[in-house]
Amino acid sequence: MAEFGFNEHHQNEVINYMRFARSKRVLRLKTIDSCFEELKDSRLVEETFTVDEVREMLDGLQAVVRGEVEMELINTAHTNVLLLRQLFSQAEKFYLRLQSDISELENRELLEQVAEFEKTDFKTPDKMNQDLSKPKLAPLNEGGVSELLNKEIARLQGENDKLKARLRTLESQAMSALDEKTKAERALKDLRKVQGEKQMAAQSQEISSLEDTVAALKEDYEKSLSVNAASQKDLQENLISAKHELLRVQEQLVLAEKDLEKKFQQTAAYRNMKEILTKKNEQIKEMRKRLQR
C-alpha cells in the first residue's frame, strides 16, 4: 500500500478489513446463488411455461435477490459506521479531529489501486495467517500523537515559566520605581519645608521689628502727650503714618514671599526634582500598562 502512504501496521489493518469485507461478500453471493438454485429445483420442473408463469418466477426471484442485495448494502454501511466509530474513539482520546473527503470514495484511480492490491496481497496463505494473528485497531500508546502532545505541553510550560519570570522582573522594577518616586517626593517636601521655614523666619523677624517700632512710637506718643499736649496731633499723624508703613511693609512681604516662591521654582534643584518626578510618573504609568497586558 505504498501508493496510499500507509505504514506496515495500518497496512495490516486494511488487509484485515478487506478480508472481512470479502468474506461477507462471498457469503452474500452464495446466498444469491442459492436463490437461483432453489428456483431451478422448485419451479423449473416442467418443460414448457407460459409467459405469465415465467414473469411470475422472475418477479419472485427479483424480489428475493433485491432483498439480499439491499440487506448486504445496509449491513456494509452499518459495518463501516462501526469501523469509523472505533477510529474516531481512538482519535478523541488524544484530542484529534479526523476529517474525511467523501468525493475520494468515488475516485476510480484509487479504487483500481485498491482492487489491484486485493488481488495481489491475498494470495500467500502464510501472510494471511500472520495477518489474522495481529490485534485489530490497537489503541495508541506513548508514541506518535501522545509524544507530540507531551512535547507541546512541555513547550507551553516552558513559555509559562518564562512569562512568570518576566512578570516577577516587571513587578520588581515597578516596586523600585515606586520607592524612588516616594523618596523623590519626600526630598521635595523636605526642601519646600526648609525653604518655608527660612521664609517664615525672615517674615517673623521683619514683623517683630515693625512691632517694636510701633511700640516705640506709641511709647514716644504717650510720653509726648504727658509732656506737650500741643504735639498730640503730630504724634497721631506719625502713628497713622507708621500704621500705613506697617501695612505697606506687610504688602511688600507678601509680594516678596510670592517672588521668593517664584524664584524657588526657577532654581535648578526645583526643576531637577520636578523632572525626576515627571519621569518616575511616566515610568510607573508604562509599568502599569505592561502589567495589565
Side-chain angles (χ1 to χ4, degrees), residues 18 46 48 55 60 75 77 83 93 102 107-108 116 118 142 164 180 184 196 204 220 253 269 271 279:
M18 294 178 67
E46 301 179 2
T48 58
R55 182 178 292 109
N75 185 64
L83 178 62
K93 291 181 180 179
I102 303 300
N107 190 324
R108 299 305 306 174
E116 185 65 25
E118 184 178 8
E142 293 300 325
K164 289 182 178 179
E180 292 179 1
S204 299
D220 292 339
L253 286 175
R271 289 197 301 270
K279 290 182 180 181

Side-chain angles (χ1 to χ4, degrees), residues 199-214 246 248-254 256-257:
Q199 185 178 358
M200 291 299 294
Q203 292 177 356
S204 299
Q205 186 176 0
E206 291 180 0
I207 293 172
S208 298
S209 178
L210 290 174
E211 289 177 350
D212 293 339
T213 302
V214 172
L246 177 61
R248 186 182 63 81
V249 171
Q250 288 179 348
E251 184 179 1
Q252 290 179 355
L253 286 175
V254 173
E257 181 181 356

Side-chain angles (χ1 to χ4, degrees), residues 106-226:
E106 297 181 354
N107 190 324
R108 299 305 306 174
E109 183 179 355
L110 294 178
L111 290 174
E112 291 176 0
Q113 292 180 7
V114 174
E116 185 65 25
F117 172 75
E118 184 178 8
K119 293 178 182 178
T120 57
D121 206 70
F122 289 175
K123 292 181 179 180
T124 306
D126 295 337
K127 188 171 185 179
M128 292 175 60
N129 295 331
Q130 181 180 359
D131 292 339
L132 288 174
S133 63
K134 293 180 178 294
K136 297 181 180 180
L137 295 175
L140 298 174
N141 294 323
E142 293 300 325
V145 178
S146 179
E147 184 177 357
L148 293 177
L149 289 175
N150 290 331
K151 290 181 179 179
E152 183 66 15
I153 291 173
R155 184 184 68 81
L156 293 176
Q157 289 178 348
E159 292 182 356
N160 190 22
D161 294 337
K162 291 180 180 179
L163 290 176
K164 289 182 178 179
R166 180 60 177 168
L167 180 60
R168 288 193 294 268
T169 302
L170 292 175
E171 289 177 350
S172 177
Q173 293 177 356
M175 293 302 295
S176 299
L178 288 174
D179 292 339
E180 292 179 1
K181 179 186 176 183
T182 303
K183 291 179 180 178
E185 290 178 347
R186 188 180 296 111
L188 180 59
K189 185 177 180 180
D190 294 340
L191 181 60
R192 287 180 176 178
K193 184 178 180 180
V194 171
Q195 293 291 338
E197 290 177 352
K198 290 182 179 179
Q199 185 178 358
M200 291 299 294
Q203 292 177 356
S204 299
Q205 186 176 0
E206 291 180 0
I207 293 172
S208 298
S209 178
L210 290 174
E211 289 177 350
D212 293 339
T213 302
V214 172
L217 290 174
K218 185 176 181 180
E219 184 179 357
D220 292 339
Y221 173 71
E222 290 177 352
K223 288 180 180 180
S224 64
L225 284 177
S226 62

Side-chain angles (χ1 to χ4, degrees), residues 206-270:
E206 291 180 0
I207 293 172
S208 298
S209 178
L210 290 174
E211 289 177 350
D212 293 339
T213 302
V214 172
L217 290 174
K218 185 176 181 180
E219 184 179 357
D220 292 339
Y221 173 71
E222 290 177 352
K223 288 180 180 180
S224 64
L225 284 177
S226 62
V227 175
N228 190 3
S231 62
Q232 182 178 2
K233 185 177 181 179
D234 294 335
L235 291 175
Q236 289 179 351
E237 291 178 355
N238 291 332
L239 181 60
I240 293 173
S241 177
K243 290 182 178 180
H244 290 169
E245 182 67 18
L246 177 61
L247 293 176
R248 186 182 63 81
V249 171
Q250 288 179 348
E251 184 179 1
Q252 290 179 355
L253 286 175
V254 173
L255 294 175
E257 181 181 356
K258 293 181 179 179
D259 186 60
L260 180 62
E261 179 67 21
K262 185 177 180 181
K263 289 181 179 180
F264 171 71
Q265 292 179 357
Q266 292 177 354
T267 59
Y270 180 83

Side-chain angles (χ1 to χ4, degrees), residues 42-55:
S42 61
R43 300 295 299 275
L44 300 180
V45 295
E46 301 179 2
E47 295 180 357
T48 58
F49 293 93
T50 63
V51 176
D52 294 335
E53 290 175 343
V54 173
R55 182 178 292 109

